[in-house]
Amino acid sequence: MRPERLSKIVARSILYHNGSKYLIRPYSSSSSVKPSSLSIKINEETELMNPKIKIVKQNVLNSKGMLIDKYHELIDSKNFRYDRKQFDTLFLLSSFYRQILDYQISNKPSWSNNKLSTFFKKFLKSNPENEMPKIKSIYLYGGVGCGKTMIMDLIYNSIPENKLKQRIHFNKFMLNVHRSIHEIKQIDKFKDQDPIQVLCDDLIDKIHFLFFDEFQVTDIADAMLMSRLFTGLIQRGMVVFFTSNRVPTDLYKNGLQRDLFLPFIDYIHKVCQIIHIDSSIDYRKIASKSENRVYFNSDYESEFLNELITNIMPKGAVLEPKIIEILGRKVYLEQTYKNLLVTSYSFICQEARGSVDYLEFCKLFDTIVMKDIPFIDMKNGDSLRRFITFVDALYDNNIRFICSGKASSPQYLFDLTERKNIGEHTSKLEDEYFSIDRTISRLIDMQSESYLNKTKNLFK
């Protein structure tokens, strides 16, 4: 469907709803590329309404589509608030969801052969519109805690199980990609073939709908790989749902050799529907309750943290060292008890560790205690990056996180004054700075009753 036709349909079917106001605008950037996608910003002020008010239920019931029905169920559930922006976003995505239910990927030849791959690239350059996907993927972005993940999960969980779907955190996905490419290069029969195209052929046989939480680009290796990987997957018919805190034009901002990454941003605008939830409300902070306390001041409350550790372990149990192996490396853990790990900020963030280590910790432990988080110096980029990646891994795997730090509460752990004095060291960390708000929000949400209810029970 042509974008101007879609624009008219959206305007007729959605703009009048509940008096909501939308800003529908074509994308423009310095790249001078005119994408065929539609960029939609939901910019009305959010209204929080009691879910028991009849008018809210009536609006929901009058709307067609299973997504709205699912949202109605959430409204009636405990501790869930009606949010007009979330509602309108789901209303907008109802068409996307109905398309998914009937979607079938066409049988296409493998493109892993070098000659076919070269021919296809030339063909794509001369005829860019001929390979538009049947269903546009989704790029949903907005501030922390505004409901992006909830919306994505609602759609994902509503897709029938017989569909080939996968939901995964972006960092974990890219880790698997790098590992798979390395393994493909070791196989003789793929010696003369492009390993990325071989991987794309393999993935499309297993996944038709790929859902990413917290899409971001901070690593040059990922940035250089991403364009070829996702272009290959979408050309084969895969539908991707991205959530991100960043507008696409800000991805990999100030990154090394970013000019090589810019064509991928243009590609995102061509094959994705861009939707912005412009909300200033962070529901993670609203949901947090003081009685579920998991953060302690390291200067004055260390004894309380130690007492908590003692209380959550069975009587007479003691913390013991443990050696684990990660990709052939032996890692010594000083204090563990079954699925409980007690560690420190220096061990996790100031030593050479990365996503693979943190994901392995999440597999082995259901509760992780981190002691002595300092005021995080914004000039120490490696430690900052590791801490953000570590919290993301814990949050995505529903790990109970208990910690102590110099600050009185998580939102004061970072020295945000450095953001105002952008220099050489700060411009290189632009993406990490942008992720700080998400990290703070997640640390706060980890204290909430709703999050703790998702974590596993200790020692069971």
Side-chain angles (χ1 to χ4, degrees), residues 271-302:
V271 300
C272 292
Q273 185 176 357
I274 315 295
I275 302 175
H276 180 199
I277 306 181
D278 187 18
S279 177
S280 59
I281 295 178
D282 185 344
Y283 286 97
R284 295 173 188 157
K285 292 180 181 179
I286 293 175
S288 180
K289 292 189 177 182
S290 59
E291 59 263 29
N292 295 317
R293 195 164 169 225
V294 295
Y295 181 87
F296 300 85
N297 181 273
S298 56
D299 288 332
Y300 304 105
E301 299 178 316
S302 292

PDB file of all heavy atoms in Angstrom, residues 271-302:
ATOM      1  N   VAL A 271      11.720   0.413   5.395  1.00  0.00           N
ATOM      2  CA  VAL A 271      11.028  -0.865   5.605  1.00  0.00           C
ATOM      3  C   VAL A 271      10.265  -0.922   6.925  1.00  0.00           C
ATOM      4  O   VAL A 271       9.628  -1.936   7.212  1.00  0.00           O
ATOM      5  CB  VAL A 271      12.029  -2.042   5.538  1.00  0.00           C
ATOM      6  CG1 VAL A 271      12.714  -2.073   4.183  1.00  0.00           C
ATOM      7  CG2 VAL A 271      13.061  -1.959   6.665  1.00  0.00           C
ATOM      8  N   CYS A 272      10.339   0.133   7.724  1.00  0.00           N
ATOM      9  CA  CYS A 272       9.668   0.123   9.029  1.00  0.00           C
ATOM     10  C   CYS A 272       8.636   1.238   9.126  1.00  0.00           C
ATOM     11  O   CYS A 272       8.783   2.303   8.521  1.00  0.00           O
ATOM     12  CB  CYS A 272      10.671   0.306  10.174  1.00  0.00           C
ATOM     13  SG  CYS A 272      11.799  -1.066  10.436  1.00  0.00           S
ATOM     14  N   GLN A 273       7.609   0.980   9.913  1.00  0.00           N
ATOM     15  CA  GLN A 273       6.706   2.042  10.340  1.00  0.00           C
ATOM     16  C   GLN A 273       7.274   2.597  11.642  1.00  0.00           C
ATOM     17  O   GLN A 273       7.444   1.871  12.617  1.00  0.00           O
ATOM     18  CB  GLN A 273       5.293   1.493  10.551  1.00  0.00           C
ATOM     19  CG  GLN A 273       4.275   2.564  10.878  1.00  0.00           C
ATOM     20  CD  GLN A 273       2.868   2.013  10.992  1.00  0.00           C
ATOM     21  OE1 GLN A 273       2.645   0.828  10.773  1.00  0.00           O
ATOM     22  NE2 GLN A 273       1.926   2.845  11.346  1.00  0.00           N
ATOM     23  N   ILE A 274       7.586   3.878  11.661  1.00  0.00           N
ATOM     24  CA  ILE A 274       8.215   4.512  12.823  1.00  0.00           C
ATOM     25  C   ILE A 274       7.119   5.120  13.698  1.00  0.00           C
ATOM     26  O   ILE A 274       6.344   5.954  13.239  1.00  0.00           O
ATOM     27  CB  ILE A 274       9.201   5.620  12.399  1.00  0.00           C
ATOM     28  CG1 ILE A 274      10.092   5.145  11.243  1.00  0.00           C
ATOM     29  CG2 ILE A 274      10.024   6.072  13.587  1.00  0.00           C
ATOM     30  CD1 ILE A 274      11.008   4.025  11.575  1.00  0.00           C
ATOM     31  N   ILE A 275       7.059   4.691  14.957  1.00  0.00           N
ATOM     32  CA  ILE A 275       6.029   5.177  15.871  1.00  0.00           C
ATOM     33  C   ILE A 275       6.700   5.709  17.137  1.00  0.00           C
ATOM     34  O   ILE A 275       7.527   5.029  17.751  1.00  0.00           O
ATOM     35  CB  ILE A 275       5.024   4.071  16.246  1.00  0.00           C
ATOM     36  CG1 ILE A 275       4.372   3.500  14.985  1.00  0.00           C
ATOM     37  CG2 ILE A 275       3.952   4.606  17.198  1.00  0.00           C
ATOM     38  CD1 ILE A 275       3.454   2.327  15.259  1.00  0.00           C
ATOM     39  N   HIS A 276       6.325   6.917  17.518  1.00  0.00           N
ATOM     40  CA  HIS A 276       6.904   7.564  18.696  1.00  0.00           C
ATOM     41  C   HIS A 276       5.836   7.732  19.773  1.00  0.00           C
ATOM     42  O   HIS A 276       4.826   8.384  19.561  1.00  0.00           O
ATOM     43  CB  HIS A 276       7.466   8.935  18.295  1.00  0.00           C
ATOM     44  CG  HIS A 276       8.082   9.688  19.448  1.00  0.00           C
ATOM     45  ND1 HIS A 276       8.302  11.049  19.412  1.00  0.00           N
ATOM     46  CD2 HIS A 276       8.531   9.266  20.661  1.00  0.00           C
ATOM     47  CE1 HIS A 276       8.848  11.429  20.547  1.00  0.00           C
ATOM     48  NE2 HIS A 276       8.998  10.368  21.317  1.00  0.00           N
ATOM     49  N   ILE A 277       6.066   7.118  20.937  1.00  0.00           N
ATOM     50  CA  ILE A 277       5.208   7.370  22.098  1.00  0.00           C
ATOM     51  C   ILE A 277       5.842   8.509  22.884  1.00  0.00           C
ATOM     52  O   ILE A 277       6.835   8.326  23.584  1.00  0.00           O
ATOM     53  CB  ILE A 277       5.070   6.136  23.011  1.00  0.00           C
ATOM     54  CG1 ILE A 277       4.609   4.922  22.220  1.00  0.00           C
ATOM     55  CG2 ILE A 277       4.084   6.406  24.131  1.00  0.00           C
ATOM     56  CD1 ILE A 277       4.435   3.686  23.068  1.00  0.00           C
ATOM     57  N   ASP A 278       5.264   9.684  22.782  1.00  0.00           N
ATOM     58  CA  ASP A 278       5.859  10.878  23.387  1.00  0.00           C
ATOM     59  C   ASP A 278       5.271  11.089  24.775  1.00  0.00           C
ATOM     60  O   ASP A 278       4.439  11.948  24.996  1.00  0.00           O
ATOM     61  CB  ASP A 278       5.593  12.083  22.490  1.00  0.00           C
ATOM     62  CG  ASP A 278       6.334  13.321  22.962  1.00  0.00           C
ATOM     63  OD1 ASP A 278       7.286  13.163  23.744  1.00  0.00           O
ATOM     64  OD2 ASP A 278       5.957  14.427  22.556  1.00  0.00           O
ATOM     65  N   SER A 279       5.737  10.272  25.722  1.00  0.00           N
ATOM     66  CA  SER A 279       5.179  10.326  27.075  1.00  0.00           C
ATOM     67  C   SER A 279       6.238  10.741  28.072  1.00  0.00           C
ATOM     68  O   SER A 279       7.399  10.355  27.972  1.00  0.00           O
ATOM     69  CB  SER A 279       4.622   8.950  27.475  1.00  0.00           C
ATOM     70  OG  SER A 279       4.152   8.970  28.800  1.00  0.00           O
ATOM     71  N   SER A 280       5.847  11.535  29.042  1.00  0.00           N
ATOM     72  CA  SER A 280       6.776  11.964  30.093  1.00  0.00           C
ATOM     73  C   SER A 280       6.596  11.156  31.370  1.00  0.00           C
ATOM     74  O   SER A 280       7.267  11.406  32.371  1.00  0.00           O
ATOM     75  CB  SER A 280       6.552  13.450  30.405  1.00  0.00           C
ATOM     76  OG  SER A 280       5.214  13.665  30.834  1.00  0.00           O
ATOM     77  N   ILE A 281       5.684  10.186  31.362  1.00  0.00           N
ATOM     78  CA  ILE A 281       5.392   9.404  32.562  1.00  0.00           C
ATOM     79  C   ILE A 281       6.200   8.114  32.547  1.00  0.00           C
ATOM     80  O   ILE A 281       6.212   7.385  31.560  1.00  0.00           O
ATOM     81  CB  ILE A 281       3.894   9.075  32.661  1.00  0.00           C
ATOM     82  CG1 ILE A 281       3.097  10.359  32.833  1.00  0.00           C
ATOM     83  CG2 ILE A 281       3.613   8.122  33.810  1.00  0.00           C
ATOM     84  CD1 ILE A 281       1.609  10.149  32.892  1.00  0.00           C
ATOM     85  N   ASP A 282       6.915   7.833  33.629  1.00  0.00           N
ATOM     86  CA  ASP A 282       7.669   6.599  33.780  1.00  0.00           C
ATOM     87  C   ASP A 282       6.901   5.703  34.751  1.00  0.00           C
ATOM     88  O   ASP A 282       6.930   5.896  35.962  1.00  0.00           O
ATOM     89  CB  ASP A 282       9.073   6.906  34.320  1.00  0.00           C
ATOM     90  CG  ASP A 282       9.961   5.668  34.383  1.00  0.00           C
ATOM     91  OD1 ASP A 282       9.428   4.550  34.302  1.00  0.00           O
ATOM     92  OD2 ASP A 282      11.183   5.827  34.526  1.00  0.00           O
ATOM     93  N   TYR A 283       6.211   4.701  34.194  1.00  0.00           N
ATOM     94  CA  TYR A 283       5.373   3.847  35.033  1.00  0.00           C
ATOM     95  C   TYR A 283       6.178   2.951  35.952  1.00  0.00           C
ATOM     96  O   TYR A 283       5.658   2.437  36.941  1.00  0.00           O
ATOM     97  CB  TYR A 283       4.449   3.006  34.144  1.00  0.00           C
ATOM     98  CG  TYR A 283       3.329   3.835  33.562  1.00  0.00           C
ATOM     99  CD1 TYR A 283       3.428   4.364  32.279  1.00  0.00           C
ATOM    100  CD2 TYR A 283       2.209   4.129  34.306  1.00  0.00           C
ATOM    101  CE1 TYR A 283       2.424   5.146  31.749  1.00  0.00           C
ATOM    102  CE2 TYR A 283       1.194   4.909  33.787  1.00  0.00           C
ATOM    103  CZ  TYR A 283       1.307   5.418  32.508  1.00  0.00           C
ATOM    104  OH  TYR A 283       0.307   6.201  31.995  1.00  0.00           O
ATOM    105  N   ARG A 284       7.453   2.748  35.645  1.00  0.00           N
ATOM    106  CA  ARG A 284       8.272   1.951  36.548  1.00  0.00           C
ATOM    107  C   ARG A 284       8.431   2.650  37.893  1.00  0.00           C
ATOM    108  O   ARG A 284       8.417   2.023  38.945  1.00  0.00           O
ATOM    109  CB  ARG A 284       9.654   1.716  35.924  1.00  0.00           C
ATOM    110  CG  ARG A 284       9.611   0.874  34.654  1.00  0.00           C
ATOM    111  CD  ARG A 284      10.974   0.840  34.011  1.00  0.00           C
ATOM    112  NE  ARG A 284      10.930   0.204  32.699  1.00  0.00           N
ATOM    113  CZ  ARG A 284      11.822   0.404  31.752  1.00  0.00           C
ATOM    114  NH1 ARG A 284      12.816   1.241  31.963  1.00  0.00           N
ATOM    115  NH2 ARG A 284      11.733  -0.212  30.592  1.00  0.00           N
ATOM    116  N   LYS A 285       8.599   3.969  37.831  1.00  0.00           N
ATOM    117  CA  LYS A 285       8.750   4.721  39.077  1.00  0.00           C
ATOM    118  C   LYS A 285       7.439   4.772  39.851  1.00  0.00           C
ATOM    119  O   LYS A 285       7.416   4.721  41.076  1.00  0.00           O
ATOM    120  CB  LYS A 285       9.229   6.138  38.768  1.00  0.00           C
ATOM    121  CG  LYS A 285      10.643   6.181  38.216  1.00  0.00           C
ATOM    122  CD  LYS A 285      11.092   7.592  37.931  1.00  0.00           C
ATOM    123  CE  LYS A 285      12.504   7.616  37.361  1.00  0.00           C
ATOM    124  NZ  LYS A 285      12.963   8.983  37.042  1.00  0.00           N
ATOM    125  N   ILE A 286       6.320   4.854  39.109  1.00  0.00           N
ATOM    126  CA  ILE A 286       5.010   4.871  39.766  1.00  0.00           C
ATOM    127  C   ILE A 286       4.761   3.553  40.487  1.00  0.00           C
ATOM    128  O   ILE A 286       4.213   3.509  41.584  1.00  0.00           O
ATOM    129  CB  ILE A 286       3.897   5.135  38.738  1.00  0.00           C
ATOM    130  CG1 ILE A 286       4.024   6.561  38.178  1.00  0.00           C
ATOM    131  CG2 ILE A 286       2.520   4.930  39.357  1.00  0.00           C
ATOM    132  CD1 ILE A 286       3.051   6.869  37.074  1.00  0.00           C
ATOM    133  N   ALA A 287       5.200   2.453  39.858  1.00  0.00           N
ATOM    134  CA  ALA A 287       4.918   1.130  40.422  1.00  0.00           C
ATOM    135  C   ALA A 287       5.815   0.773  41.593  1.00  0.00           C
ATOM    136  O   ALA A 287       5.529  -0.135  42.355  1.00  0.00           O
ATOM    137  CB  ALA A 287       5.074   0.061  39.332  1.00  0.00           C
ATOM    138  N   SER A 288       6.929   1.492  41.762  1.00  0.00           N
ATOM    139  CA  SER A 288       7.875   1.148  42.812  1.00  0.00           C
ATOM    140  C   SER A 288       7.303   1.433  44.193  1.00  0.00           C
ATOM    141  O   SER A 288       6.684   2.460  44.422  1.00  0.00           O
ATOM    142  CB  SER A 288       9.168   1.950  42.624  1.00  0.00           C
ATOM    143  OG  SER A 288      10.093   1.622  43.619  1.00  0.00           O
ATOM    144  N   LYS A 289       7.510   0.507  45.123  1.00  0.00           N
ATOM    145  CA  LYS A 289       6.994   0.664  46.487  1.00  0.00           C
ATOM    146  C   LYS A 289       8.149   0.565  47.481  1.00  0.00           C
ATOM    147  O   LYS A 289       9.046  -0.256  47.345  1.00  0.00           O
ATOM    148  CB  LYS A 289       5.955  -0.412  46.794  1.00  0.00           C
ATOM    149  CG  LYS A 289       4.682  -0.237  45.971  1.00  0.00           C
ATOM    150  CD  LYS A 289       3.615  -1.185  46.452  1.00  0.00           C
ATOM    151  CE  LYS A 289       2.307  -0.988  45.708  1.00  0.00           C
ATOM    152  NZ  LYS A 289       1.251  -1.866  46.179  1.00  0.00           N
ATOM    153  N   SER A 290       8.121   1.406  48.474  1.00  0.00           N
ATOM    154  CA  SER A 290       9.229   1.493  49.414  1.00  0.00           C
ATOM    155  C   SER A 290       9.415   0.228  50.233  1.00  0.00           C
ATOM    156  O   SER A 290      10.515  -0.073  50.675  1.00  0.00           O
ATOM    157  CB  SER A 290       9.009   2.678  50.355  1.00  0.00           C
ATOM    158  OG  SER A 290       7.792   2.536  51.065  1.00  0.00           O
ATOM    159  N   GLU A 291       8.351  -0.566  50.415  1.00  0.00           N
ATOM    160  CA  GLU A 291       8.504  -1.736  51.284  1.00  0.00           C
ATOM    161  C   GLU A 291       9.333  -2.834  50.620  1.00  0.00           C
ATOM    162  O   GLU A 291       9.848  -3.712  51.289  1.00  0.00           O
ATOM    163  CB  GLU A 291       7.135  -2.303  51.689  1.00  0.00           C
ATOM    164  CG  GLU A 291       6.250  -2.741  50.529  1.00  0.00           C
ATOM    165  CD  GLU A 291       5.258  -1.664  50.152  1.00  0.00           C
ATOM    166  OE1 GLU A 291       5.563  -0.479  50.355  1.00  0.00           O
ATOM    167  OE2 GLU A 291       4.172  -2.024  49.667  1.00  0.00           O
ATOM    168  N   ASN A 292       9.460  -2.782  49.280  1.00  0.00           N
ATOM    169  CA  ASN A 292      10.264  -3.780  48.583  1.00  0.00           C
ATOM    170  C   ASN A 292      11.665  -3.222  48.374  1.00  0.00           C
ATOM    171  O   ASN A 292      12.117  -3.034  47.253  1.00  0.00           O
ATOM    172  CB  ASN A 292       9.626  -4.125  47.234  1.00  0.00           C
ATOM    173  CG  ASN A 292       8.287  -4.788  47.397  1.00  0.00           C
ATOM    174  OD1 ASN A 292       8.143  -5.647  48.250  1.00  0.00           O
ATOM    175  ND2 ASN A 292       7.320  -4.389  46.598  1.00  0.00           N
ATOM    176  N   ARG A 293      12.351  -2.976  49.426  1.00  0.00           N
ATOM    177  CA  ARG A 293      13.612  -2.256  49.346  1.00  0.00           C
ATOM    178  C   ARG A 293      14.753  -3.196  48.966  1.00  0.00           C
ATOM    179  O   ARG A 293      14.966  -4.222  49.595  1.00  0.00           O
ATOM    180  CB  ARG A 293      13.899  -1.627  50.699  1.00  0.00           C
ATOM    181  CG  ARG A 293      14.975  -0.575  50.614  1.00  0.00           C
ATOM    182  CD  ARG A 293      14.974   0.300  51.841  1.00  0.00           C
ATOM    183  NE  ARG A 293      16.190   1.097  51.804  1.00  0.00           N
ATOM    184  CZ  ARG A 293      16.959   1.281  52.850  1.00  0.00           C
ATOM    185  NH1 ARG A 293      16.627   0.759  54.007  1.00  0.00           N
ATOM    186  NH2 ARG A 293      18.041   2.010  52.743  1.00  0.00           N
ATOM    187  N   VAL A 294      15.481  -2.834  47.918  1.00  0.00           N
ATOM    188  CA  VAL A 294      16.615  -3.647  47.499  1.00  0.00           C
ATOM    189  C   VAL A 294      17.858  -2.795  47.281  1.00  0.00           C
ATOM    190  O   VAL A 294      18.868  -3.273  46.774  1.00  0.00           O
ATOM    191  CB  VAL A 294      16.297  -4.432  46.207  1.00  0.00           C
ATOM    192  CG1 VAL A 294      15.196  -5.441  46.448  1.00  0.00           C
ATOM    193  CG2 VAL A 294      15.915  -3.491  45.079  1.00  0.00           C
ATOM    194  N   TYR A 295      17.804  -1.517  47.647  1.00  0.00           N
ATOM    195  CA  TYR A 295      18.972  -0.635  47.503  1.00  0.00           C
ATOM    196  C   TYR A 295      19.355  -0.082  48.875  1.00  0.00           C
ATOM    197  O   TYR A 295      18.500   0.366  49.628  1.00  0.00           O
ATOM    198  CB  TYR A 295      18.678   0.516  46.538  1.00  0.00           C
ATOM    199  CG  TYR A 295      19.867   1.427  46.342  1.00  0.00           C
ATOM    200  CD1 TYR A 295      20.826   1.135  45.378  1.00  0.00           C
ATOM    201  CD2 TYR A 295      20.058   2.545  47.140  1.00  0.00           C
ATOM    202  CE1 TYR A 295      21.941   1.946  45.206  1.00  0.00           C
ATOM    203  CE2 TYR A 295      21.171   3.362  46.983  1.00  0.00           C
ATOM    204  CZ  TYR A 295      22.108   3.059  46.016  1.00  0.00           C
ATOM    205  OH  TYR A 295      23.203   3.848  45.864  1.00  0.00           O
ATOM    206  N   PHE A 296      20.655  -0.111  49.178  1.00  0.00           N
ATOM    207  CA  PHE A 296      21.148   0.343  50.472  1.00  0.00           C
ATOM    208  C   PHE A 296      22.343   1.266  50.280  1.00  0.00           C
ATOM    209  O   PHE A 296      23.148   1.076  49.365  1.00  0.00           O
ATOM    210  CB  PHE A 296      21.580  -0.856  51.337  1.00  0.00           C
ATOM    211  CG  PHE A 296      20.470  -1.827  51.626  1.00  0.00           C
ATOM    212  CD1 PHE A 296      20.164  -2.834  50.720  1.00  0.00           C
ATOM    213  CD2 PHE A 296      19.719  -1.725  52.789  1.00  0.00           C
ATOM    214  CE1 PHE A 296      19.143  -3.734  50.979  1.00  0.00           C
ATOM    215  CE2 PHE A 296      18.693  -2.608  53.055  1.00  0.00           C
ATOM    216  CZ  PHE A 296      18.399  -3.622  52.148  1.00  0.00           C
ATOM    217  N   ASN A 297      22.457   2.251  51.143  1.00  0.00           N
ATOM    218  CA  ASN A 297      23.619   3.140  51.119  1.00  0.00           C
ATOM    219  C   ASN A 297      24.812   2.398  51.707  1.00  0.00           C
ATOM    220  O   ASN A 297      24.758   1.893  52.834  1.00  0.00           O
ATOM    221  CB  ASN A 297      23.335   4.416  51.919  1.00  0.00           C
ATOM    222  CG  ASN A 297      24.513   5.372  51.891  1.00  0.00           C
ATOM    223  OD1 ASN A 297      25.409   5.273  52.712  1.00  0.00           O
ATOM    224  ND2 ASN A 297      24.504   6.292  50.936  1.00  0.00           N
ATOM    225  N   SER A 298      25.915   2.333  50.968  1.00  0.00           N
ATOM    226  CA  SER A 298      27.060   1.521  51.393  1.00  0.00           C
ATOM    227  C   SER A 298      27.803   2.109  52.580  1.00  0.00           C
ATOM    228  O   SER A 298      28.504   1.391  53.303  1.00  0.00           O
ATOM    229  CB  SER A 298      28.029   1.322  50.220  1.00  0.00           C
ATOM    230  OG  SER A 298      28.437   2.570  49.678  1.00  0.00           O
ATOM    231  N   ASP A 299      27.671   3.415  52.808  1.00  0.00           N
ATOM    232  CA  ASP A 299      28.376   4.041  53.928  1.00  0.00           C
ATOM    233  C   ASP A 299      27.663   3.825  55.257  1.00  0.00           C
ATOM    234  O   ASP A 299      28.308   3.670  56.306  1.00  0.00           O
ATOM    235  CB  ASP A 299      28.533   5.545  53.683  1.00  0.00           C
ATOM    236  CG  ASP A 299      29.555   5.846  52.600  1.00  0.00           C
ATOM    237  OD1 ASP A 299      30.477   5.022  52.434  1.00  0.00           O
ATOM    238  OD2 ASP A 299      29.419   6.870  51.915  1.00  0.00           O
ATOM    239  N   TYR A 300      26.338   3.800  55.221  1.00  0.00           N
ATOM    240  CA  TYR A 300      25.581   3.783  56.475  1.00  0.00           C
ATOM    241  C   TYR A 300      24.692   2.548  56.662  1.00  0.00           C
ATOM    242  O   TYR A 300      24.185   2.324  57.756  1.00  0.00           O
ATOM    243  CB  TYR A 300      24.694   5.037  56.555  1.00  0.00           C
ATOM    244  CG  TYR A 300      25.469   6.325  56.411  1.00  0.00           C
ATOM    245  CD1 TYR A 300      25.414   7.063  55.234  1.00  0.00           C
ATOM    246  CD2 TYR A 300      26.273   6.793  57.441  1.00  0.00           C
ATOM    247  CE1 TYR A 300      26.131   8.237  55.089  1.00  0.00           C
ATOM    248  CE2 TYR A 300      26.998   7.970  57.300  1.00  0.00           C
ATOM    249  CZ  TYR A 300      26.921   8.692  56.132  1.00  0.00           C
ATOM    250  OH  TYR A 300      27.644   9.850  55.990  1.00  0.00           O
ATOM    251  N   GLU A 301      24.508   1.769  55.604  1.00  0.00           N
ATOM    252  CA  GLU A 301      23.538   0.674  55.703  1.00  0.00           C
ATOM    253  C   GLU A 301      24.114  -0.685  55.312  1.00  0.00           C
ATOM    254  O   GLU A 301      23.379  -1.610  55.013  1.00  0.00           O
ATOM    255  CB  GLU A 301      22.319   0.987  54.816  1.00  0.00           C
ATOM    256  CG  GLU A 301      21.592   2.258  55.237  1.00  0.00           C
ATOM    257  CD  GLU A 301      20.426   2.590  54.321  1.00  0.00           C
ATOM    258  OE1 GLU A 301      20.589   2.488  53.088  1.00  0.00           O
ATOM    259  OE2 GLU A 301      19.360   2.934  54.850  1.00  0.00           O
ATOM    260  N   SER A 302      25.436  -0.816  55.336  1.00  0.00           N
ATOM    261  CA  SER A 302      26.060  -2.086  54.968  1.00  0.00           C
ATOM    262  C   SER A 302      25.610  -3.216  55.887  1.00  0.00           C
ATOM    263  O   SER A 302      25.410  -4.356  55.445  1.00  0.00           O
ATOM    264  CB  SER A 302      27.590  -1.959  55.019  1.00  0.00           C
ATOM    265  OG  SER A 302      28.045  -1.094  54.009  1.00  0.00           O
TER     266      SER A 302
END
